[in-house]
Amino acid sequence: MSIVLPLGVYIHVPWCVRKCPYCDFNSHALEGTRIDESTYLDALIMDLDQEPLSARKRWVSTIFIGGGTPSLFSPTVTARLLASLHTRLAIITNAEATLEANPGTVDTRRLMDFRAAGINRLSLGIQSFNDGSLACLGRIHDRREAFAAFDAARRAGFDNINLDVMFGLPGQSLEDAQADLAIACALEPEHISYYQLTIEPQTAFHHHPPSLLPDEDLLWAMQEQGMELLAENNYLQYEVSAYARPGRCCRHNLNYWEFGDYLGIGAGAHGKITDSTGIHRRWKLSDPQNYLAGIKACSSIRNQYLAGDELVTNSDLPVEFLLNALRLVSGVPTQFYTQRTGLPLVGILDKLTTARVQGWLENREDRLVPTTRGRRFLNELLELFLPDGNTVLSDLPKSTNM
């Protein structure tokens, strides 16, 4: 493709103090009391150095350190990591650099050091301000520590903070959900991620489901009234579960949803790279010990961290593109479809017409924009674009690290 797409870098830190029962990310409870940070850092750098050279020469606009619990890493090692990225990649001057943090692992001094290391956006996994809900979710922090972490972040100089808030928790009432969200709004972070607890396969909650989960009607009321409360507090919805003050959308995640490219570095990290041969999905060894074993391999061995590299077929590209783009409230420019897939729009015009007739897409030629109804019935909308032989969206590969 002749157009060079935006590029982000995702770094995965796979360890947590303990595994939350709802979490289906590649995260692992610490078996000891500390991480061998230096060894993992060395592995990350070797992993980065083995990414395609054509991608590493492109301008990088965002960095996202996720997990797991990346705030378990020391600020010193985080600074070394960021410095290594800057020596190896062409990173723009005002690049967004996000760190995910657990409220139970940070204080003002530590956050000041992360800020000095080059982190300029912080994402705090609050989930709830209710101690009973936090205990049920297996979180290591309580309500008091949630407030303390946010205050510490402000004291450390962070002026771009996201708070994760969940709804649909076991035993949660509509009033409870509204109370959690009202507290988050009152703190005035720049960004709020408000999303529903889902019971995913291979999680503790899947094997031992919690009792008193809200029913569908209550879940819809939580979402609908939550959206109203967020709007009243000047948090504009720009994606299914993402709300931001004007100008404070997460640039890294926007790149995912707009079908940009990103390097995925670290155990279990996923990447997407577009080159002259097409669009590649790449993913790394997920088990931390197997991943770390790569550093002991001969340095002449290429791709010892790579678990897979798959060329996305032309038949899968339409739904993969729309799976991301139609999560955005304002959609994407129509021209993005051809620019970012390499396919002509004419190939899906009949399906776009069907979606508009169903009331799922706005009737616009310049943008692909889901209607309110389309966002509510997003799965049904996307199923229009599934290739022959695919009947469910779960047949698609995981496309992001979120």
Side-chain angles (χ1 to χ4, degrees):
M1 297 181 185
S2 58
I3 294 178
V4 178
L5 302 185
L7 183 68
V9 178
Y10 177 78
I11 309 288
H12 192 72
V13 178
W15 294 283
C16 292
V17 174
R18 68 168 175 249
K19 179 86 170 180
C20 294
Y22 60 86
C23 178
D24 70 335
F25 294 157
N26 183 38
S27 59
H28 305 263
L30 283 174
E31 296 180 358
T33 58
R34 60 183 295 274
I35 301 169
D36 187 353
E37 298 178 303
S38 293
T39 302
Y40 192 66
L41 174 62
D42 290 343
L44 290 174
I45 300 308
M46 288 181 64
D47 184 354
L48 174 62
D49 287 344
Q50 294 182 8
E51 285 292 280
L53 182 60
S54 59
R56 287 186 280 131
K57 287 183 175 181
R58 289 162 52 184
W59 285 102
V60 171
S61 56
T62 64
I63 300 165
F64 196 105
I65 307 176
T69 305
S71 51
L72 289 174
F73 256 32
S74 69
T76 300
V77 168
T78 302
R80 288 169 53 198
L81 170 61
L82 292 174
S84 296
L85 294 181
H86 278 273
T87 61
R88 287 167 167 80
L89 301 170
I91 300 174
I92 66 173
T93 301
N94 64 338
E96 176 188 270
T98 301
L99 178 78
E100 289 185 334
N102 187 306
T105 64
V106 293
D107 56 29
T108 302
R109 179 72 262 171
R110 190 174 182 85
L111 288 173
M112 288 177 66
D113 290 342
F114 280 128
R115 188 73 184 86
I119 299 298
N120 56 31
R121 183 176 183 273
L122 192 69
S123 182
L124 288 171
I126 299 294
Q127 315 308 358
S128 175
F129 292 95
N130 182 296
D131 281 340
S133 292
L134 289 169
C136 180
L137 292 173
R139 303 297 290 172
I140 66 169
H141 71 278
D142 58 21
R143 171 189 174 93
R144 179 189 61 80
E145 288 172 310
F147 286 117
F150 184 83
D151 181 63
R154 287 296 195 220
R155 289 175 181 272
F158 281 97
D159 61 0
N160 196 359
I161 301 174
N162 168 66
L163 298 184
D164 283 346
V165 180
M166 297 177 72
F167 68 91
L169 309 181
Q172 188 178 46
S173 67
L174 178 58
E175 293 74 20
D176 292 337
Q178 288 290 91
D180 268 346
L181 195 52
I183 292 171
C185 290
L187 290 174
E188 299 189 331
E190 287 66 37
H191 191 287
I192 294 176
S193 297
Y194 185 59
Y195 57 99
Q196 179 187 331
L197 169 68
T198 55
I199 308 301
E200 302 289 352
Q202 310 306 317
T203 64
F205 272 178
H206 178 77
H207 297 294
H208 304 284
S211 59
L212 302 176
L213 286 171
D215 60 26
E216 289 299 320
D217 290 339
L218 181 52
L219 287 171
W220 178 245
M222 289 176 175
Q223 181 172 339
E224 194 170 42
Q225 293 191 27
M227 292 167 62
E228 293 174 0
L229 180 59
L230 285 158
E232 290 169 4
N233 285 274
N234 199 28
Y235 289 97
L236 308 181
Q237 184 184 26
Y238 68 98
E239 188 266 345
V240 172
S241 59
Y243 303 77
R245 291 280 169 84
R248 294 307 189 111
C249 297
C250 177
R251 287 157 50 193
H252 185 84
N253 288 345
L254 269 177
N255 186 46
Y256 288 147
W257 298 318
E258 292 178 346
F259 215 54
D261 283 353
Y262 48 96
L263 301 176
I265 308 300
H270 285 236
K272 169 185 172 285
I273 296 298
T274 304
D275 61 22
S276 59
T277 66
I279 296 173
H280 294 257
R281 295 288 189 191
R282 293 165 57 87
W283 59 99
K284 305 302 171 61
L285 297 170
S286 60
D287 181 81
Q289 297 309 312
N290 290 341
Y291 182 86
L292 284 170
I295 203 169
K296 299 175 183 177
C298 176
S299 59
S300 63
I301 298 177
R302 295 291 297 165
N303 297 323
Q304 64 258 46
Y305 301 102
L306 189 65
D309 184 336
E310 181 176 85
L311 187 66
V312 183
T313 65
N314 286 350
S315 61
D316 281 335
L317 273 175
V319 72
E320 281 222 29
F321 174 85
L322 294 168
L323 180 68
N324 291 281
L326 295 184
R327 291 181 64 91
L328 294 170
V329 172
S330 61
V332 296
T334 304
Q335 64 188 17
F336 273 20
Y337 179 78
T338 296
Q339 288 178 356
R340 303 194 174 193
T341 67
L343 302 177
L345 187 67
V346 67
I348 60 169
L349 282 180
D350 58 336
K351 296 179 179 180
L352 291 176
T353 298
T354 300
R356 290 178 178 123
V357 169
Q358 292 286 347
W360 292 337
L361 283 183
E362 291 186 8
N363 190 22
R364 297 178 57 173
E365 292 186 0
D366 62 326
R367 295 187 72 85
L368 300 173
V369 183
T371 61
T372 300
R373 173 179 170 83
R375 293 199 302 275
R376 185 173 184 183
F377 296 98
L378 186 58
N379 280 354
E380 288 84 350
L381 167 56
L382 293 170
E383 284 170 2
L384 287 175
F385 301 89
L386 285 171
D388 294 339
N390 284 56
T391 58
V392 292
L393 292 171
S394 59
D395 289 342
L396 292 170
K398 185 175 180 180
S399 61
T400 74
N401 304 285
M402 296 178 286

